Amino acid sequence: MPILYRTKASSTGGRAGHGATEDGTVDVTLTLPKELGGDGAPGANPEKLFAIGYSACFLGALKFVAGQEKVKIPDDAKVTATVGVGPREDGGGFGIEAALEVSVPGLDKAVVEDLVKKAHVVCPYSHATRGNLDVKTTVA
């Protein structure tokens, strides 16, 4: 696969520390949520960052497949990703779950549902998660 773009980021301190991209465009304080034993201080965590990345990537994939079909996605279209983390039922560490809610005002719901199915095929995050977790998609 020819790589068209590559980036690099590092973290220190694990879930309660600091993370930044090599170029400095993303620089976050990482905190552990109360639900995972932390103090709940304001900050980011891997689940928040994954949710932002997946929602942005999926909206990009949706726009890509819509463009191929000559469908205009309005500027107020939105993808909301909900990401959860918890212990696996098989005792094999922790796992994550993800759900994507797609809102495309002004387009017929059936059209959006068809585009969402196609976007789920081309989105790199969907490729990365396929077979590893069940990603639920809904159209608002």
Side-chain angles (χ1 to χ4, degrees):
M1 156 179 98
I3 301 298
L4 301 176
Y5 173 76
R6 183 174 280 123
T7 190
K8 187 185 283 190
S10 299
S11 297
T12 57
R15 286 182 162 269
H18 180 261
T21 55
E22 187 175 64
D23 65 4
T25 57
V26 177
D27 192 314
V28 294
T29 298
L30 300 170
T31 62
L32 189 60
K34 283 185 180 182
E35 298 86 350
L36 297 177
D39 62 8
N45 60 53
E47 293 72 36
K48 289 179 182 180
L49 297 170
F50 184 76
I52 290 169
Y54 202 168
S55 63
C57 188
F58 197 85
L59 183 54
L62 187 71
K63 288 180 175 184
F64 173 79
V65 297
Q68 288 183 320
E69 298 191 13
K70 308 291 189 247
V71 175
K72 170 77 170 102
I73 299 293
D75 291 340
D76 58 348
K78 179 168 82 170
V79 174
T80 301
T82 302
V83 174
V85 62
R88 291 172 44 108
E89 290 180 4
D90 65 6
F94 288 82
I96 60 172
E97 66 173 18
L100 302 172
E101 181 181 328
V102 180
S103 173
V104 185
L107 282 186
D108 181 75
K109 186 174 182 179
V111 171
V112 177
E113 287 172 341
D114 181 60
L115 292 172
V116 164
K117 286 179 187 172
K118 292 173 180 171
H120 204 33
V121 171
V122 301
C123 175
Y125 274 65
S126 293
H127 279 286
T129 60
R130 193 168 290 114
N132 296 310
L133 64 121
D134 182 28
V135 178
K136 294 172 180 48
T137 59
T138 57
V139 174

